[in-house]
Amino acid sequence: MSERAYSEELNEEISAFKAHKYSLKGKLKSAKAFHCHDPYCGIKLTCSNWAVKDAKRIYFTPSNRDDLHSIACSTVSGDEEKRQVEVETEQGKRTISKNGIIAMRKATNKSKTNHSNEHGVEDVDVVTGERRNNVTKDKKGTESRNVSSIKTYINFYYDDDVDNNVCNIRVDGELISLNTLFVDAKEEIPVGVNRILFGNAIVTTPVFNDKLVAFEFVDVDKPIVYTNKEMLLTRINSKVLNQYLDKGVECQFFFRGSIGQDGKFVSFNGKNYCDLYIME
């Protein structure tokens, strides 16, 4: 669920409450004439309880259940992202059961589109490339599905119905298995190779910035991972984070990315909050 969206009728970003009010007045005609205003996303959205006078819950939701917000979207709520992971996991397992391929794609490419309005033309950045959860087939009929969330891959990794030894995960053009994708943080990985590292970590608030959260692998010579706390809470339940934050208690931590030339972590999507997870 999202509280704000881009109105294609008004050519501006508005709240769900305002859109609903305009539906009652007839100023807006269609509940489906909206899309996500985040530049990394742009999926079609529908306003709930359209033209219902005494509606209690008003929000924007994906117009199609299979259309998921981009993994880099900053507008999605924690509850909505949890639902999206459930959809990704369910449908991803179907692709795996058909001997299909799971493609791990980045969500960082943008292009500009034009929205005309009363003041002229507005350039808006939108994500390019294939959508999250998009499915294609090759000439042999092999299904390939884009799966974005690190949590979905964790679900696959710990699912007894999924064979972790089969090479059915495409990362940076290479087909690998889940057992190759997941690497114990105590092990070394080559520079620039994207993997999901896991191990015990301590979670703290850095003294230099209380808006950040720091994750430090325990007894491992690996860099500290920093992320914005507010954005992290759209991906991780606040109760889970607070169970470990500044408590000195170790959590089971996952980070998706690579080691850069400078020896520091580089997250897969370029946004750390998209590429880390605390096991609940």
Side-chain angles (χ1 to χ4, degrees):
M1 296 178 288
S2 304
E3 295 181 358
R4 302 186 67 81
Y6 192 93
S7 168
E8 295 163 2
E9 293 182 58
L10 298 176
N11 290 315
E12 64 181 39
E13 178 191 331
I14 63 172
S15 69
F17 178 80
K18 186 175 181 180
H20 180 263
K21 182 174 70 173
Y22 282 177
S23 77
L24 297 174
K25 294 181 177 181
K27 189 171 181 178
L28 290 177
K29 305 300 182 182
S30 174
K32 296 180 179 294
F34 302 93
H35 63 254
C36 181
H37 66 87
D38 186 279
Y40 286 97
C41 193
I43 65 166
K44 293 288 292 182
L45 298 176
T46 298
C47 187
S48 67
N49 291 307
W50 191 253
V52 176
K53 184 176 180 181
D54 298 320
K56 302 298 182 183
R57 300 188 66 206
I58 303 168
Y59 51 84
F60 293 108
T61 189
S63 299
N64 186 313
R65 182 177 184 271
D66 293 343
D67 287 344
L68 307 182
H69 285 272
S70 166
I71 189 62
C73 182
S74 61
T75 72
V76 67
S77 68
D79 287 342
E80 179 69 6
E81 178 60 22
K82 182 178 179 180
R83 185 196 71 81
Q84 295 193 146
V85 168
E86 291 172 355
V87 172
E88 269 195 333
T89 301
E90 172 191 343
Q91 298 187 354
K93 285 184 64 177
R94 289 180 190 171
T95 295
I96 291 172
S97 70
K98 300 174 188 176
N99 297 317
I101 302 300
I102 299 299
M104 195 166 79
R105 299 246 172 119
K106 299 178 182 179
T108 54
N109 295 323
K110 293 190 296 182
S111 65
K112 285 192 174 182
T113 186
N114 291 328
H115 289 298
S116 60
N117 57 31
E118 61 185 357
H119 302 295
V121 175
E122 175 188 5
D123 285 330
V124 178
D125 286 329
V126 296
V127 70
T128 61
E130 295 177 272
R131 300 187 316 273
R132 176 179 179 180
N133 207 39
N134 188 55
V135 177
T136 58
K137 289 186 178 181
D138 64 16
K139 294 181 180 178
K140 296 180 180 180
T142 302
E143 186 171 290
S144 178
R145 180 181 299 274
N146 294 343
V147 171
S148 299
S149 174
I150 183 175
K151 178 59 168 60
T152 304
Y153 287 95
I154 293 169
N155 288 343
F156 294 156
Y157 188 62
Y158 287 101
D159 194 314
D160 292 336
D161 293 332
V162 177
D163 188 343
N164 291 354
N165 292 308
V166 176
C167 292
N168 54 7
I169 310 295
R170 180 176 288 114
V171 182
D172 298 334
E174 178 186 13
L175 269 183
I176 62 175
S177 68
L178 284 166
N179 278 336
T180 300
L181 176 63
F182 283 78
V183 177
D184 191 309
K186 295 178 181 178
E187 303 295 327
E188 296 300 321
I189 59 173
V191 170
V193 174
N194 284 298
R195 294 292 184 261
I196 296 177
L197 281 83
F198 64 92
N200 289 346
I202 294 293
V203 190
T204 59
T205 302
V207 294
F208 58 85
N209 190 336
D210 62 5
K211 297 185 184 302
L212 299 180
V213 176
F215 295 85
E216 183 173 7
F217 283 111
V218 177
D219 298 327
V220 173
D221 184 22
K222 290 291 191 299
I224 296 175
V225 179
Y226 297 96
T227 191
N228 178 276
K229 183 178 181 180
E230 181 179 359
M231 294 308 305
L232 177 63
L233 289 174
T234 66
R235 302 298 189 272
I236 293 178
N237 188 293
S238 60
K239 291 182 179 179
V240 175
L241 179 60
N242 292 333
Q243 180 181 350
Y244 299 103
L245 184 60
D246 299 324
K247 300 292 195 305
V249 179
E250 296 178 11
C251 68
Q252 188 173 4
F253 176 61
F254 297 81
F255 178 79
R256 174 171 53 180
S258 63
I259 300 293
Q261 293 289 345
D262 58 1
K264 297 180 180 179
F265 276 132
V266 179
S267 66
F268 182 71
N269 284 288
K271 295 176 179 290
N272 286 357
Y273 68 87
C274 297
D275 294 311
L276 53 81
Y277 190 77
I278 300 174
M279 183 66 82
E280 298 184 15

